[in-house]
Amino acid sequence: MSKIKTPLRSKETVFKNEVTTKFELYNSLFLTLPFYSVKNTGLALPYFFKYCEEGTEKSLRPDEIIESFFSKQVEVTDQKEIFDLLFRFIQYIERQVVLFDAVEDAAFSKISDLDEATSLNSLMNKALEDESLYKNTQEALAEFKLRLVLTAHPTQFYPGPILGIMTDLTDAIKDNDVNAINLLLKQLGKTPFFKKEKPTPFDEAVSLTWYLENIFYQTASNVHKNLEDVFNLDLGNHTLIELGFWPGGDRDGNPYVTTEITEKVSSFLRQALFRCYFRDFKNLKRRVTFNGVEKYMDVLEKVIYENAFESNGNGKNVKEELLDNLRNIRRVLNDYHDGLFTSLVDDFIWKVKLFGCHFASLDVRQDSRVLRKLFSECIQTAPVKGTIPANYMDLSEEEKIKAVPLNQLDLTEYSNFAELSKDALDVIRLIKNMQNKSGKRACHRFIISNCQKASDILQLMQLFLWSGWTLDELDMDFVPLFETIDDLKYAHEVMEILYTHPVYQKHLERRKARQVIMLGFSDSTKDGGYLMANWSLYYAKYTLTEISRKHNIDLAFFDGRGGPPARGGGKTHKFYASFGKDVANKQIQVTVQGQTISSQYGTFESSRNNMEQLINAGISSALNKKDADTMAQSERDLFNSLADTSYDTFMSLRSNPLFLKFLEVQSPLKMLSQINISSRPVKRNSDAELKLEDLRAISFVTSWSQLKQNIPGFYGVGTALAKIKAEGKWDEAKELYAGNGFFRAVMDNCMMSMTKADFRLTAYLESDETFGAFWKGLKDEFVLTEKLLLELSGTEVLMQKYPLDRQSIRVREKITLPLVIIQRYAIIRCLDKNTSEADREIYNKLILRTLYGIVNAARNSA
């Protein structure tokens, strides 16, 4: 049976009852807890909230709001006491964000919008009633894969202890257990949020492994098993769900990721997995106590225990050994014990099939410039020297393609190479060892960032062949990452060269004619603005699909997507459901970053729901390649025209000499390098002067979101729409929005980005001597974009079609309003030449501390 859609007003009422009201109730309890030395902090905070709201409505400057509150409301004039109270306010608000997260997560099953468009259960029920649909779904699932890749980025601020409290708090709220809630709020109040030292890449891996052990281990298995049961699938070695992992493997721009770290993380993942296996084995052992299973249970216990607690570092691939013994146990239970507890054994089998000995596949990523430098060093070193032209690096691209010999040599002496070069060769050798120990899926992808040429891929293949690999055993996916506007535009030309290269052709044959291509969103937004980034992404998928089909290549796109719409986030499942026949979509491979991990996969319910939504999007797209979602040439021309205008508008803004200066001076950009949450530097070339091209997209987008302006998520869209309207093409634009899922998803995500903006908080800058005209230009584009998007979508307010998300954003923005005002106040004081150095240091700390809470509350702002 299909699920009856709930009216919008009813959904809003449910949200108010289950989330807003409960949050206010538990928040009132929380505010009375005496955590800190400053008296009545919790009692003063509601007054501060109200004062901030009223001051914002009156368009008061942030410093006016803060100073007026302390002098008139609480009559505090001592600067030290003001600082202390502001820090206490921040501490409370940080924890209010956690409380709201927990309340919203607890209400997930009641407020989640599981309509026909996103419900996997609906698809299953329809398929069970329609033999043709059932068979077609079976066939689609046989080729489909969902690959979720967890990445470490400086936007996941919650440490492990806080995540544990959130999980327990969510359960207590579900049960309305007031005593437990009270205790957990006390624990939350006394548990530190931040570390005093920056984490290492290994620390980041340990932190994200929490989700693997506590969430994904069970939910991925449940979703997979449900699909296999319903559709009676015989997938062999193919799995519908695969987990990827970047911490410890992603060395692009992070010099702290070394071969030693990669090996350590791989071993840790394996050990964490076997700890999970051991938990399941103990449950199995308590139930399967019958004759005939003893020898199989003994083998299982010995193998699992050794790998979980003893000789993990010297482990071997025992996946088949585990499966053989589990299948024998199931056979004995079925043959002699009435099938008792076979469900427990089946669950264990699903998990071993999914996770093997590796848990999550460790991807290795490095920048093409590093790999090119390494290649240059290799060709000057024996035994390679003389086998390739000495002037190779100066050759044309066509000449390089012909000159790469793809021969096998053993280059073992490279101690005099640059550090990053040595690491790249070391990790190539390590990958073979990882595959031998934990299976091919432990590490089978090498991603080249900033990939611009076919020679980048062929040179990487050659580096493998110079490092102890042979062509026949090269069980690797060489994944180009196209991310700038130009890279995306010419990506199909690069792949055409590779597809017609005789050696690479044979490599793809050994890979069953499968090619993975990664497309980056974040850098393209920074490079050309929101609309051009989306158009370029679509154009790249369209042209790459066309060229791959021409050469009979089974293409899988791996999308590098951040949390916010400006970095490819937003309604991700709608994005994947929106592609027509012109885009390959058999697999969904996507990065999950920052707070998106905790917000979308932080609980069993949300994790399962988001996996099912993405699977449903992929399967529905495969089954129903809608003609409306397959862009006609006229529609592509319209989209391209919009993107071109938007690009020109955004580039005009970027070229303004105040652009980067505004971000440096008016946002906490510089402070991002000081937060102890990420091992990765804020920018590449960290010792050099700040340049936009070196600035990481995540820092770029985060800084604009802290300003509550979200420029990368909308700027240029309004001007582009206005131009189309002036040219008499408005009806065409409205038809494209109404009929094409991809274009609609792009515009809806833009509205999400704008919903999180609030120009009132920086309105005082309109009269600023330096930035006044610049700020007004940003505001004018926002107003224009909002007006035309509402007209385009036929709505009266932004995100009108997504009332629950809109309400959630509204409450979160309200919670963090005081943080934004404190941050703006501190920035104003830091810019004041009369501020003492001692006070400036404290103001910088205030900026730093507010940054955490603002990002956490948004859940997808960075």
Side-chain angles (χ1 to χ4, degrees), residues 77-137:
T77 56
D78 178 72
Q79 191 60 49
K80 183 181 183 303
E81 196 171 343
I82 290 173
F83 284 145
D84 285 345
L85 196 53
L86 287 174
F87 278 113
R88 302 309 175 193
F89 283 164
I90 293 169
Q91 288 176 307
Y92 265 92
I93 296 169
E94 287 167 347
R95 287 155 176 80
Q96 284 178 316
V97 171
V98 174
L99 175 59
F100 187 77
D101 284 348
V103 171
E104 197 168 43
D105 288 343
F108 181 84
S109 61
K110 296 178 181 177
I111 64 173
S112 57
D113 188 11
L114 300 179
D115 60 20
E116 292 289 338
T118 60
S119 173
L120 183 61
N121 282 334
S122 174
L123 174 64
M124 289 179 176
N125 291 334
K126 288 179 181 177
L128 289 172
E129 297 173 358
D130 184 334
E131 186 176 346
S132 176
L133 177 60
Y134 185 89
K135 184 178 179 181
N136 289 337
T137 305

Side-chain angles (χ1 to χ4, degrees), residues 491-507:
H492 64 288
E493 295 180 6
V494 172
M495 297 312 299
E496 170 99 68
I497 294 170
L498 289 171
Y499 291 158
T500 55
H501 188 281
V503 179
Y504 196 77
Q505 277 182 333
K506 290 195 175 297
H507 172 70

Side-chain angles (χ1 to χ4, degrees), residues 19 34 151 286 298 313 328 391 415 487 514 534 538 544 591 621 665 675 686 692 721 739 742 755 760 766 789 830 843:
V19 180
T151 72
R286 287 171 64 89
D298 288 345
N328 276 316
N391 66 337
S415 58
D487 291 348
R514 293 172 181 166
N534 276 283
Y538 165 78
L544 286 166
T591 55
S621 177
V665 172
I675 52 181
S686 54
L692 189 58
L721 290 172
F742 180 73
T755 302
R760 298 177 306 166
E766 185 171 6
L789 279 176
C830 281
Y843 286 124

Side-chain angles (χ1 to χ4, degrees), residues 360-461:
S361 297
L362 197 60
D363 286 352
V364 175
R365 182 173 75 136
Q366 184 53 281
D367 188 270
S368 62
R369 289 163 289 191
V370 173
L371 296 172
R372 288 172 200 156
K373 178 176 173 55
L374 165 58
F375 199 81
S376 176
E377 291 174 290
C378 287
I379 64 178
Q380 301 170 41
T381 307
V384 174
K385 189 175 182 179
T387 66
I388 196 167
N391 66 337
Y392 172 85
M393 303 309 293
D394 299 322
L395 298 178
S396 68
E397 174 67 1
E398 185 178 354
E399 290 170 329
K400 284 180 178 178
I401 298 297
K402 293 177 181 178
V404 179
L406 293 171
N407 58 338
Q408 185 183 343
L409 293 170
D410 202 6
L411 176 61
T412 56
E413 183 46 55
Y414 47 88
S415 58
N416 62 330
F417 284 16
E419 287 302 314
L420 291 179
S421 298
K422 287 190 289 187
D423 171 72
L425 289 177
D426 286 341
V427 82
I428 287 172
R429 291 181 179 274
L430 173 65
I431 290 170
K432 181 188 282 191
N433 187 39
M434 290 165 60
Q435 289 189 352
N436 290 335
K437 281 187 177 181
S438 299
K440 297 291 175 65
R441 285 196 295 156
C443 184
H444 62 93
R445 309 209 311 186
F446 200 118
I447 301 162
I448 305 180
S449 300
N450 194 38
C451 185
Q452 298 170 328
K453 305 171 183 177
S455 58
D456 287 331
I457 295 289
L458 296 177
Q459 286 165 190
L460 179 59
M461 279 187 69

Side-chain angles (χ1 to χ4, degrees), residues 505-543:
Q505 277 182 333
K506 290 195 175 297
H507 172 70
L508 287 179
E509 286 175 13
R510 287 189 292 271
R511 305 295 291 157
K512 298 182 180 178
R514 293 172 181 166
Q515 174 68 50
V516 178
I517 297 176
M518 185 172 182
L519 301 178
F521 194 102
S522 301
D523 281 292
S524 51
T525 304
K526 179 168 71 78
D527 195 35
Y530 177 75
L531 210 50
M532 178 54 84
N534 276 283
W535 162 252
S536 299
L537 190 73
Y538 165 78
Y539 180 79
K541 289 203 170 195
Y542 164 66
T543 53

